[in-house]
């Protein structure tokens, strides 16, 4: 205990690397140990970048790094590279290897590789609850002995075994590194023993055990060889290793060392399972198989998926509109109330017409957002996600996309930022870039308010759900079409293999869904209360300044001389409108009007689209402020939907929807896109690509609708 | 015979995997190794994608990948 890291408070810091195959419950386990809120989902590749969770237990402070799941320590995909790199290069005190008890043999394959690293290691046999139900009994004491590492049964779901796991980690941390227990097949062990004997005879000193070193040499580990090159004993060691290779080649009938080692790993896993696991009942048709027989059926599978999507959008409208009416009424009352209270002042206007109108326009759509995120959470947590990827792979493949792209694309319906991150699970850079470029076509949650607003304004209530469904589907289809075009022109190349695990179906716990959905809802509200609030006030200022005293005076005189009330009202409306048009925002809008005029937009819609580059929620906030201001102040306030209907024509509205569907995602998403794609130039391409597409299709939509109605 | 030739519900033993290093490692880590029993659970329309099962793992792969796996009944 000489130089252990210590916290100021005198607590010892234990750095833990959390490693395991995908979807075994690593993140879920840390959530239950450390009260964290890491993202959990029932498919491979939920965690795509490392994340550190800290918590204190007694005298110890834990710093656990949640790593992306890896089937084995290879660099197949970016996220797996993250894990391998972390294990090779970072500092940590021990490895916590999480294992799915119900699929233990395959999981031990990775464990074998981890053991060969010869680091302190604790193994969590997770999903114990499921294992018990499925009749899988593991003798963890026996397994601990065989592997030479503490094994603890845990369940992240039922929160069992957590304290034991913590104790095991502390104990392992405080004890010294045990000898390598890994037992390979006899021929392999013989060669290892030869090398170890030689190194021992030479009194060779090494940080890891000699056996671990010998294994590295036999695996042709680059690092080990580089180190040895400078050692004098290299000359003598070389012939021994050479002979070992010859023996192994002969015995296994292949010269592929990786094949040989893979075989060994499998044999170790199989052996350990044979000695320590009892399978009580087996091979009965599980529930998952029964559900899959229907949901993955080659004929009805896809229609069922589409039907469920359609149902989700019906719900978004039908259920969502009930609280929406209340929220709308509330904000209208609040605006009127504020103005009555503060009187006809600048302050009243900035609060009511700026802040409240803008924020209210965004909060209005909270119910829709919640329903949408609920749907996505179900898709992510039940295990259906990978099934749909399977169902769509054939179709996707025709358009040059990889089946796995489905996961980032679906994530994109929630928010583009995690979607861009999720595309890291794609192995090939070309597939990944292609996916990155079309994620924007999947309308994110922040665009939903715009659709709901416009669809609500222009279509009958019983059609609204269908139209919404149509918008999302056509967005997705456009994206896939764009993929085809990009694949044929820019991202040419051969196809990558599609190999993907289908997890078993899991009934998500209420808590998990609640966590996911409430987290998203809170984030939406927080954004409304901060970013959107500021943007709304900014929009208000830009639309109220510069002041135009001459214009006001001129109108004031006209109004006083007006013949009757009606004329006076018309005049004051005219005044409000021309004040708006001569404001800063009006100037910006008019400047860009020529660009948008062919699409049927007035300058206010143009401005809304421009402010939408910051965040899509700002579009409705801007519309809320701009169309609110044109109103006569003494008149009873009407809802935002009404105002849209009064001020915008149907063709322009549809054209607007199309533009919103396609054009550049928000600032935050654009930044993440740039990082994931690897440079400014890609953001430039994306901007040009989306703007041109959006403009052309909106133009078409505007003129076609005008011809039809 | 190769894996893609199996029809729905059939199972067989893997005799060889003719894939490049990367894909082979991936197969291996899924438990797809020589001597393992593999069964075909579902095929998509047009037989483009198939779902197989090996031990407790369900895997989706394309026919193009399945062609690289040699099996015997
Ligand atoms: N029944 C049961 N389900 C669990 C348990 N632990 C995790 N799960 C579920 O297993 C799934 C995977 O959990 P995650 O925590 O996302 O898995 P992960 O290992 O972090 O996965 P990746 O980040 O993709 O590598 C989720 O659906 C969890 O709800 C458990 O102990 N029992
Ligand atoms: Mg995770």
């Amino acid at each position: 205990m000489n130089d252990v890291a210590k916290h100021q408070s005198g607590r010892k810091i234990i750095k833990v690397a959390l490693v395991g195959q995908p979807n075994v419950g690593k993140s879920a386990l840390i959530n239950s140990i450390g009260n964290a809120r890491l993202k959990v989902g029932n498919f491979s590749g939920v965690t795509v970048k490392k994340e550190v969770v800290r918590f204190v237990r007694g005298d110890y402070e834990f710093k656990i790094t949640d790593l992306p799941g890896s089937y084995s320590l290879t660099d197949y995909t970016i996220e797996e590279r993250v894990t391998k790199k972390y294990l090779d290069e970072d500092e940590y005190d021990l490895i916590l290897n999480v294992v799915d008890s119900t699929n233990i043999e395959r999981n031990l394959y990775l464990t074998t590789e981890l053991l060969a690293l010869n680091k302190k290691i604790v193994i969590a046999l997770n999903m114990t609850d499921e294992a018990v139900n499925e009749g899988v009994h593991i003798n963890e004491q026996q397994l601990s002995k065989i592997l030479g590492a503490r094994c603890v049964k845990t369940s992240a779901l039922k929160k069992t075994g957590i304290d034991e796991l913590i104790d095991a980690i502390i104990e392992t941390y405080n004890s010294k590194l045990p000898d390598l227990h890994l037992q390979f097949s006899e021929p392999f062990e013989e060669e290892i023993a030869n090398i170890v004997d030689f190194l021992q005879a030479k009194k060779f000193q090494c940080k890891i055990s000699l056996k671990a070193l010998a294994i590295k040499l036999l695996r042709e580990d680059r690092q080990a060889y580089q180190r040895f090159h400078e050692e004098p004993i290299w000359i003598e060691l070389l012939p021994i290793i050479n002979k070992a290779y010859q023996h192994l080649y002969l015995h296994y009938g292949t010269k592929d060392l990786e094949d040989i080692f893979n075989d060994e790993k499998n044999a170790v896993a199989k052996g350990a399972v044979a000695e320590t696991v009892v399978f009580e009942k087996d091979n009965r048709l599980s529930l998952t198989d029964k559900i899959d027989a229907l949901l993955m059926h080659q004929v009805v599978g896809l229609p069922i998926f589409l039907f469920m999507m359609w149902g989700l959008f019906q719900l978004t409208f039908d259920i969502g509109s009930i609280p929406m009416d209340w929220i709308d009424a509330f904000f209208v009352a609040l605006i009127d109330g504020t103005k009555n209270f503060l009187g006809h002042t600048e302050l009243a206007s900035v609060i009511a017409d700026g802040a409240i109108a803008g924020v209210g326009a965004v909060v209005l759509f909270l119910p829709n957002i919640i329903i949408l995120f609920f749907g996505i959470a179900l898709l992510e947590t039940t295990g259906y996600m990978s099934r749909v990827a399977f169902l769509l792979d054939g179709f996707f493949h025709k358009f040059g996309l990889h089946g796995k792209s489905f996961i980032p694309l679906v994530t994109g319906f929630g928010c583009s930022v995690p979607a861009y991150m999720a595309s890291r699970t794609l192995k090939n850079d070309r597939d990944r870039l292609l996916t990155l470029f079309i994620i924007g076509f999947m309308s994110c949650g922040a665009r939903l308010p715009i659709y709901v607003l416009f669809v609500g304004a222009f279509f009958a209530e019983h059609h609204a759900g269908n139209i919404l469904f149509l918008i999302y589907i056509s967005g997705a289809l456009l994206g896939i079409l764009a993929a085809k075009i990009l694949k044929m022109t820019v991202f040419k190349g051969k196809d990558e293999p599609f190999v993907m695990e289908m997890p078993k179906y899991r009934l998500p716990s209420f808590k998990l869904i609640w966590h996911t959905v409430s987290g998203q809802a809170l984030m939406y509200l927080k954004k409304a209360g901060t970013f959107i609030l500021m943007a709304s006030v900014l929009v208000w200022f830009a639309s109220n300044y510069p002041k135009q005293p001459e214009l006001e005076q001129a109108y004031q005189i006209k109004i006083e001389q007006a013949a009757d009330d009606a004329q006076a009202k018309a005049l004051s409306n005219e005044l409000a409108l021309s004040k708006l048009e001569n404001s800063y925002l009006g100037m910006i809008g008019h400047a860009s009007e020529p660009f948008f005029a062919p699409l049927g937009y007035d300058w206010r819609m143009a401005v809304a689209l421009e402010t939408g580059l910051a965040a899509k929620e700002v579009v409705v906030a801007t519309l809320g402020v701009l169309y609110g201001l044109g109103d006569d102040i003494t008149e009873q306030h009407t809802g935002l939907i009404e105002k849209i209907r009064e001020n915008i024509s149907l063709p322009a509205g549809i054209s607007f929807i199309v533009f919103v569907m396609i054009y550049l995602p928000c600032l935050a998403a654009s930044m993440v896109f740039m990082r994931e794609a690897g440079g400014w130039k890609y953001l430039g391409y994306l901007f040009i690509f989306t703007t041109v597409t959006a403009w052309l299709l909106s133009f078409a939509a505007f003129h076609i609708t005008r011809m039809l109605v | 015979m190769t894996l893609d030739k199996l029809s729905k519900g059939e199972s067989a033993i893997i005799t060889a995997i003719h894939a490049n290093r990367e894909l082979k490692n991936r197969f291996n880590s899924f438990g797809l190794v020589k001597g393992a029993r593999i069964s075909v659970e579902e095929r998509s329309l047009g037989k483009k994608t198939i779902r197989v099962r090996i031990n407790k793992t369900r895997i989706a792969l394309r026919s193009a990948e399945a062609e690289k796996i040699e099996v015997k009944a």
Side-chain angles (χ1 to χ4, degrees), chain A residues 80 256 262 393 500 502, chain B residues 21 26 28 58 60 62:
Chain A
E80 287 183 327
D256 193 328
N262 284 351
D393 178 62
M500 188 178 184
M502 312 268 113
Chain B
R21 187 70 266 161
R26 168 80 359 155
N28 285 170
R58 300 175 184 85
R62 289 196 187 129

Side-chain angles (χ1 to χ4, degrees), chain A residues 71 80 102-103 106 109 256 258-259 262 266 292 296 298 393 427 496-500 502, chain B residues 21-22 24-26 28-30 33 42-43 45 49 51 53 56-62 65:
Chain A
Y71 288 105
E80 287 183 327
T102 63
N103 195 354
R106 196 197 75 195
Y109 184 84
D256 193 328
E258 264 199 86
D259 269 356
N262 284 351
N266 254 305
D292 270 345
M296 291 181 82
Q298 47 171 293
D393 178 62
K427 178 183 167 302
E496 276 303 317
F498 173 75
V499 193
M500 188 178 184
M502 312 268 113
Chain B
R21 187 70 266 161
E22 267 184 329
K24 199 170 186 180
N25 275 345
R26 168 80 359 155
N28 285 170
S29 61
F30 275 132
V33 288
E42 186 68 77
R43 318 195 52 137
L45 272 187
T49 327
R51 178 168 56 105
R53 185 190 177 111
K56 302 214 159 187
T57 309
R58 300 175 184 85
I59 306 160
L61 36 77
R62 289 196 187 129
E65 276 76 63

Side-chain angles (χ1 to χ4, degrees), chain A residues 12-23:
Chain A
K12 285 189 201 121
I13 298 177
I14 307 184
K15 279 194 192 162
V16 180
L18 191 65
V19 190
Q21 292 199 329
N23 210 39

Side-chain angles (χ1 to χ4, degrees), chain A residues 269-436:
Chain A
K270 242 197 191 82
V273 169
E275 281 183 59
T276 59
V277 187
V278 180
F279 298 95
E280 206 175 79
K281 41 185 175 185
D282 59 346
N283 283 339
R284 274 192 304 134
L285 209 55
S286 70
L287 186 63
T288 294
D289 294 317
K290 286 179 201 158
I291 298 175
D292 270 345
L294 181 67
L295 292 187
M296 291 181 82
H297 189 271
Q298 47 171 293
V299 181
V300 300
L302 214 47
I304 290 179
F305 168 65
L306 289 175
F307 177 76
M308 287 201 270
M309 289 266 292
W310 175 82
L312 181 67
F313 288 111
Q314 295 298 327
L315 280 184
T316 307
F317 240 98
D318 292 349
I319 301 186
S321 68
I322 301 168
M324 250 176 100
D325 291 343
W326 305 334
I327 300 174
D328 203 14
F330 170 78
F331 277 105
V332 167
L334 196 63
I335 290 174
D336 288 344
T338 312
K339 283 191 181 165
N340 284 339
F341 184 72
L342 292 173
H344 189 86
T345 59
E346 281 299 272
L347 182 68
S349 184
V350 70
I351 294 178
D353 298 325
I356 301 179
V359 172
V362 173
V363 174
L364 182 60
F365 300 96
L366 183 66
N368 310 104
I369 294 283
I370 289 179
I371 296 170
L372 179 73
F373 280 122
F374 178 73
I376 294 177
L378 278 185
L379 197 60
E380 284 178 346
T381 53
T382 52
Y384 190 40
M385 181 87 109
S386 343
R387 268 75 187 184
V388 184
F390 169 85
L391 289 172
L392 288 176
D393 178 62
F395 178 69
F396 269 34
H397 195 189
K398 280 204 185 73
F399 288 85
L401 279 168
H402 197 274
K404 249 191 181 175
S405 303
F406 178 74
I407 292 170
L409 292 182
V410 160
T411 315
F413 284 123
C415 173
S416 304
V417 172
Y420 288 132
M421 306 280 297
S423 55
R424 291 181 175 192
T425 55
L426 289 160
K427 178 183 167 302
N428 180 301
D429 267 351
R430 235 178 312 102
D431 286 339
R432 208 165 57 79
L433 273 175
L434 184 57
T435 309
L436 286 174

